[in-house]
Amino acid sequence: MSAPARLLISCPDQPGIVAAVSGLLTQIGCNIIHADQHSTDPTGGRFFMRMVFEPMGVSRTVVAGAFEAVARRFDMQWTLSYGERRRMAVLVSKYDHCLIDLLWRRRRGDLEVDIPLIVSNHPDLEKDARFFGVPFYHLEINRENKRAQEDRMHEMFLEHGVDFVVLARYMQIVSPEMVARWPSRIINIHHSFLPAFIGAKPYHHAFERGVKIIGATAHYVTDNLDEGPIIEQDVVRVTHRHSVEDLVRLGRDIERQVLARAVAAHLEERVLVYGNKTVVF
Amino acid sequence: MSAPARLLISCPDQPGIVAAVSGLLTQIGCNIIHADQHSTDPTGGRFFMRMVFEPMGVSRTVVAGAFEAVARRFDMQWTLSYGERRRMAVLVSKYDHCLIDLLWRRRRGDLEVDIPLIVSNHPDLEKDARFFGVPFYHLEINRENKRAQEDRMHEMFLEHGVDFVVLARYMQIVSPEMVARWPSRIINIHHSFLPAFIGAKPYHHAFERGVKIIGATAHYVTDNLDEGPIIEQDVVRVTHRHSVEDLVRLGRDIERQVLARAVAAHLEERVLVYGNKTVVF
Amino acid sequence: MSAPARLLISCPDQPGIVAAVSGLLTQIGCNIIHADQHSTDPTGGRFFMRMVFEPMGVSRTVVAGAFEAVARRFDMQWTLSYGERRRMAVLVSKYDHCLIDLLWRRRRGDLEVDIPLIVSNHPDLEKDARFFGVPFYHLEINRENKRAQEDRMHEMFLEHGVDFVVLARYMQIVSPEMVARWPSRIINIHHSFLPAFIGAKPYHHAFERGVKIIGATAHYVTDNLDEGPIIEQDVVRVTHRHSVEDLVRLGRDIERQVLARAVAAHLEERVLVYGNKTVVF
Amino acid sequence: MSAPARLLISCPDQPGIVAAVSGLLTQIGCNIIHADQHSTDPTGGRFFMRMVFEPMGVSRTVVAGAFEAVARRFDMQWTLSYGERRRMAVLVSKYDHCLIDLLWRRRRGDLEVDIPLIVSNHPDLEKDARFFGVPFYHLEINRENKRAQEDRMHEMFLEHGVDFVVLARYMQIVSPEMVARWPSRIINIHHSFLPAFIGAKPYHHAFERGVKIIGATAHYVTDNLDEGPIIEQDVVRVTHRHSVEDLVRLGRDIERQVLARAVAAHLEERVLVYGNKTVVF
């Protein structure tokens, strides 16, 4: 049995979309396994759909060709994937928890993804990368060379056929140029329950504010720091007994889980971005 | 704008179902707003679908008539509703929390349901029922008259046009005859995280076992005590500091929420039963 | 058996405090049931303690008298209560969920508190108040009379022997004068996970930001809007399918629970305020 | 600054215990940092206390000697530790998630423990053990040699100065002899929310029962399978969409977290066993 194919659609809402798409796929012999839809507003909003189907031997080219007319009719933006394995670059700094978790989940088969390279501005995590069989590149970054190093990184991504980038506690602000090159394709994990505690040292700020719950947020990176479309969030309860160090420790468990769930959703093409928000099917 | 209509379908899985149903609805002028599907097994399993659509003026009779052929072709069990307001009977004993919560949610408009009657084997909650404007009937139940009183209750349900029954901590075992008369239409709230602690005094057993989390379960009533299809569950953390009385108190908050969510899912026709399990869309 | 007494202490941290306090209570014949301590910093921080003890017939005056010397020695701020029943005023606007929940929990005996009066700037909830047997006062508030009406309210609180005030979705900003009169004795429920979405319409802002979790926060009111010491918080998961109205509806369940837990903690004297934070034992 | 010392006490409840213990420690110059108490029943129950104190240079021998009289007076069972680093043996089978998580947390410093050896009846995880620098022993186990291999294991534990044993998804039932040798010192992680789904294949049973939440439970091993004192539990929400394989995958995240929290509680000597229950301070 071949891998199921996925059709992602976004278009102005109007009657007949589900029937047109499912009718077409059935007509050319594909078998719909699952479909999700969302409309931002039943009257004049935007419509999103994700259809998972068994191609039944019908090739990607044939499906795409047949779909063209429907897409034009409804003014659709769409992507069609045939279970192509994605390639993910991971940027890290010195923190190991998110990286090890991603590497372990990939080894385990929980994340069906290739990781052609890990890049870091510190050499600390090279041994971990190597243990899990992933090439590690150390690119030192300072004020002067930041732009140049990002260019180099970008070239490395292209060379390695990277599809998307994960900032697994990278601790560096990515330049607007980089963001523009990888729109909705850089996933960051921020160690707070956004929009609370944007920016640096969120656990310190959470401690000072005396919150009773802390969290983590995975989002697509945009030009506005920690303000990109949120993919996933989770929280954990804390008390007055917890020091800042405790929050950091408890936060690690949330960070790695939230990031892993966001990466899984991205890989399974369950995330659609509109404006500054996401639909996560 | 008329209320959206809902089509619920269950049939043997095979290719073409989504296309056939959505094609038909579109063809006769209805506008699909939302659809959910589930297959127990892509190869030879059972297929479930819930379609929410704007009838656009097409009457129930026309939709149902047009749908007959499709239903036959795919050997479907199906129901079609046009937002008819459901009528819910509530059975209670002495505990007030679930009842008050349901009554308040109905008053609030959170639960769009009519409650034509509340029946109890104790007179305690009559004042509460009256405050929320619902007729309250006290039917004393003992070993000798149980069967007769259930018959009377059943007649009252028929007289009041009841669609389904909620046991809001009713504390009585419903007879197999009653269950047979209301298949998948009696919702019970059990005060444990089933299948742990089936039967009486679950909080006492939870206390004795020393669990660190307690829960509540809403399920459809079948002949096997506390073993019917589960609709909804939730839990709350407890510690060694909590007495049995504390568990009972903490449990009340979980019970009323789980029951309310289950009733909402039932009302919105998001629950499909198969075997001893549920699909909750 | 008499109700247990409670001693709350706050003082500069130094060795010997636990021994001195527990030694004194034991010496005069009291029986310690439970004790909690917290130190903001083991070296030179502030120390907090809550001791629950069975007085064993020793009067409040005798305990307080004996305690004076210890309190002086350690420079303690302290309060001693002998299970005196507290009196709580509730301010509401038009939203019923928090009010009904508090009234029901008090009737149920979950909250051991007297509610001598409910005050509102709208008449809507009078019937609910009356059903639960609590006097309801309607004080219309506008720009011109706000200060005068708050003075009147304050006098009503004094007349009714009020110990603390709960803003159960009051929807009015309380003046600095009012706050100064009731320091750490006004509890507010804010319908967001603070410090996210301070101020008006937090559910709308949460919807616009596209968060995947919403929350509620109970805190003591200070002069800075929604920035007082947090007592309790909780959250609920949401998705792209939820409209603003859904967030409001889901939020109600969190709001009433968070507020009830905060009120319970306050009543049981488990909350100690320091700076802008709380210790919640 | 030396590591804080910990005194764990269990004795029949009676007045004066807190005062006696805290008085003694203060008298000999120690500084109490934190204390927790619990009484199973204020009238004639069992009393538990955990006291954390800064020894201030007073030796273990002196504290223990001074404490003897108090312990006799109150008929106490007690242990005194001076922050001695514990030694933990880990038994595994083929599943890697719990092991890697424990090893990573130890490397991270989250778990302050030595792991002198890992023993497995399968060779699969040797590479992982080695990467984290822990000796790995493969002891094949079958029906015939089980008793002999357990004896060998026991000797290895003694040779390596093991304090307690963790079954990190060991998948073997430990013999009563082994349990008797390590009372309340073998921690198991069971992949269900006990007491639901005792025994083999709990995820399959959870799937068949159609539960809406699954969980994991860490407990001390006793002679009754999966019925020992529960240390920690946690849960995760599931739906009809999740296959058994999904439950297994989601369960892994819960299992490793619950086990890690239980091991941390055990290491910090926050767990006291009484009957078949635990106090977890």
Side-chain angles (χ1 to χ4, degrees), chain D:
Chain D
M1 202 195 202
S2 52
R6 296 176 195 130
L7 184 59
L8 263 79
I9 290 166
S10 154
C11 64
D13 200 359
Q14 60 171 288
I17 305 173
V18 176
V21 176
S22 59
L24 175 88
L25 288 176
T26 302
Q27 199 185 313
I28 62 177
C30 302
N31 184 20
I32 298 166
I33 295 170
H34 187 71
D36 268 303
Q37 320 85 42
H38 179 63
S39 176
T40 57
D41 185 350
T43 54
R46 191 139 188 101
F47 181 85
F48 303 92
M49 187 157 68
R50 176 180 183 266
M51 221 165 233
V52 183
F53 60 96
E54 177 61 45
M56 311 296 284
V58 184
S59 77
R60 202 194 170 290
T61 319
V62 170
V63 173
F67 191 65
E68 265 302 340
V70 172
R72 246 193 320 269
R73 181 176 146 211
F74 290 98
D75 192 16
M76 289 171 171
Q77 291 177 6
W78 60 284
T79 59
L80 173 63
S81 71
Y82 256 56
E84 296 85 0
R85 206 169 162 89
R86 301 297 170 195
R87 294 170 74 77
M88 167 172 94
V90 184
L91 303 196
V92 293
S93 189
K94 290 175 162 188
Y95 297 112
D96 62 357
H97 55 291
C98 287
L99 179 66
I100 287 185
D101 201 58
L102 290 173
L103 291 171
W104 167 72
R105 286 181 201 269
R106 169 179 155 272
R107 185 180 87 176
R108 205 67 199 70
D110 283 3
L111 292 177
E112 299 200 10
V113 66
D114 288 332
I115 307 182
L117 80 166
I118 295 165
V119 183
S120 179
N121 53 337
H122 292 281
D124 305 49
L125 303 179
E126 178 159 15
K127 234 179 111 188
D128 289 332
R130 212 170 273 171
F131 177 64
F132 284 98
V134 177
F136 179 94
Y137 300 92
H138 174 210
L139 290 194
E140 220 173 308
I141 289 185
N142 52 45
R143 274 201 196 174
E144 283 69 39
N145 72 2
K146 186 170 180 174
R147 187 63 193 278
Q149 292 294 58
E150 274 201 352
D151 285 346
R152 213 176 128 194
M153 235 186 257
H154 181 65
E155 272 162 45
M156 289 165 77
F157 294 167
L158 296 185
E159 277 164 31
H160 285 86
V162 162
D163 291 299
F164 69 106
V165 181
V166 169
L167 311 185
R169 296 300 309 277
Y170 177 48
M171 308 303 284
Q172 293 276 330
I173 294 174
V174 170
S175 72
E177 289 73 24
M178 186 80 159
V179 173
R181 284 162 167 171
W182 301 88
S184 297
R185 285 189 290 161
I186 306 178
I187 298 173
N188 182 46
I189 179 74
H190 183 70
H191 40 315
S192 88
F193 183 74
L194 290 175
F197 310 123
I198 285 177
K201 295 199 169 292
Y203 291 126
H204 288 77
H205 292 300
F207 178 80
E208 279 156 31
R209 180 63 189 90
V211 293
K212 300 303 184 187
I213 290 175
I214 57 167
T217 305
H219 63 94
Y220 288 116
V221 175
T222 61
D223 285 356
N224 300 315
L225 184 65
D226 301 333
E227 296 193 0
I230 294 172
I231 307 168
E232 172 67 344
Q233 303 188 284
D234 212 338
V235 296
V236 65
R237 197 165 273 276
V238 296
T239 79
H240 60 272
R241 295 210 189 285
H242 292 107
S243 63
V244 174
E245 290 68 37
D246 291 330
L247 302 194
V248 170
R249 179 176 48 78
L250 290 167
R252 277 197 288 265
D253 272 347
I254 302 299
E255 291 166 34
R256 60 181 187 164
Q257 286 207 54
V258 166
L259 181 58
R261 290 203 292 255
V263 169
H266 182 89
L267 278 175
E268 295 159 13
E269 290 169 300
R270 292 190 283 108
V271 192
L272 281 154
V273 174
Y274 68 103
N276 202 43
K277 299 169 70 167
T278 61
V279 167
V280 182
F281 283 130

Side-chain angles (χ1 to χ4, degrees), chain B residues 34-36 95-98 100-101 104-105 107-108 110 125 127-128 131-132 241 248-249 252-253 256-257 261, chain C residues 34-36 95-97 100-101 104-105 107-108 110 125 127-128 131-132 241 248-249 252-254 256-257 261:
Chain B
H34 186 72
D36 268 304
Y95 298 111
D96 62 357
H97 56 290
C98 287
I100 287 186
D101 201 58
W104 167 73
R105 285 181 201 268
R107 185 180 87 178
R108 204 70 200 69
D110 282 3
L125 302 180
K127 235 180 111 187
D128 289 332
F131 177 64
F132 285 97
R241 297 211 187 284
V248 170
R249 179 175 49 77
R252 277 197 288 266
D253 273 347
R256 60 181 187 165
Q257 286 208 54
R261 290 202 292 255
Chain C
H34 187 71
D36 268 304
Y95 297 112
D96 61 356
H97 55 292
I100 287 186
D101 201 58
W104 168 73
R105 286 181 201 268
R107 186 181 86 176
R108 202 68 201 71
D110 282 2
L125 302 180
K127 232 179 113 188
D128 289 331
F131 177 65
F132 284 97
R241 295 210 188 285
V248 170
R249 179 175 49 78
R252 278 198 288 266
D253 273 346
I254 302 299
R256 60 181 188 165
Q257 286 208 53
R261 289 203 293 254

Side-chain angles (χ1 to χ4, degrees), chain C:
Chain C
M1 201 197 204
S2 52
R6 296 178 195 127
L7 184 59
L8 262 77
I9 292 166
S10 154
C11 64
D13 200 359
Q14 59 171 287
I17 304 173
V18 176
V21 176
S22 59
L24 175 86
L25 288 175
T26 302
Q27 197 185 316
I28 62 178
C30 302
N31 183 20
I32 298 165
I33 295 170
H34 187 71
D36 268 304
Q37 321 84 42
H38 180 63
S39 176
T40 57
D41 185 350
T43 54
R46 192 139 187 100
F47 180 85
F48 303 92
M49 187 157 68
R50 176 179 183 266
M51 222 166 230
V52 183
F53 60 96
E54 177 62 43
M56 310 298 283
V58 185
S59 77
R60 201 194 172 291
T61 320
V62 170
V63 173
F67 192 66
E68 266 302 341
V70 172
R72 244 193 321 268
R73 182 176 143 209
F74 290 98
D75 193 17
M76 288 172 171
Q77 292 178 5
W78 60 285
T79 60
L80 174 63
S81 71
Y82 256 57
E84 295 85 1
R85 206 169 162 87
R86 302 295 171 197
R87 293 171 73 77
M88 166 173 95
V90 184
L91 304 194
V92 293
S93 189
K94 290 174 162 189
Y95 297 112
D96 61 356
H97 55 292
C98 287
L99 179 66
I100 287 186
D101 201 58
L102 290 173
L103 291 171
W104 168 73
R105 286 181 201 268
R106 169 179 155 272
R107 186 181 86 176
R108 202 68 201 71
D110 282 2
L111 292 177
E112 298 201 11
V113 66
D114 288 332
I115 307 181
L117 79 166
I118 295 163
V119 183
S120 179
N121 53 337
H122 293 282
D124 306 50
L125 302 180
E126 176 158 17
K127 232 179 113 188
D128 289 331
R130 210 170 274 169
F131 177 65
F132 284 97
V134 178
F136 178 95
Y137 300 91
H138 175 211
L139 290 195
E140 221 172 307
I141 290 186
N142 53 45
R143 273 201 197 178
E144 284 69 41
N145 73 1
K146 184 168 181 178
R147 188 64 193 277
Q149 292 294 58
E150 274 201 351
D151 285 346
R152 212 176 130 196
M153 234 186 259
H154 180 66
E155 273 163 44
M156 289 164 79
F157 294 166
L158 296 184
E159 278 165 29
H160 284 86
V162 162
D163 292 298
F164 70 106
V165 181
V166 170
L167 312 184
R169 298 297 311 273
Y170 178 49
M171 308 302 284
Q172 293 276 330
I173 293 172
V174 171
S175 73
E177 289 74 24
M178 187 78 158
V179 173
R181 283 161 167 172
W182 299 88
S184 299
R185 284 190 291 162
I186 305 177
I187 298 173
N188 183 45
I189 179 72
H190 183 70
H191 40 315
S192 86
F193 183 77
L194 290 174
F197 310 123
I198 285 177
K201 294 200 170 292
Y203 292 126
H204 288 77
H205 292 299
F207 178 80
E208 278 156 31
R209 181 61 187 90
V211 293
K212 301 302 183 188
I213 290 176
I214 58 168
T217 306
H219 64 94
Y220 288 115
V221 174
T222 62
D223 285 356
N224 300 315
L225 184 63
D226 302 332
E227 296 192 1
I230 293 171
I231 307 169
E232 172 66 345
Q233 304 189 285
D234 212 339
V235 296
V236 64
R237 196 164 273 276
V238 296
T239 78
H240 60 272
R241 295 210 188 285
H242 292 106
S243 63
V244 174
E245 291 69 35
D246 291 329
L247 302 193
V248 170
R249 179 175 49 78
L250 291 167
R252 278 198 288 266
D253 273 346
I254 302 299
E255 291 167 33
R256 60 181 188 165
Q257 286 208 53
V258 166
L259 181 57
R261 289 203 293 254
V263 169
H266 182 89
L267 279 174
E268 295 160 12
E269 291 169 300
R270 293 190 282 109
V271 191
L272 281 154
V273 174
Y274 67 103
N276 203 42
K277 297 169 72 167
T278 61
V279 167
V280 181
F281 283 130

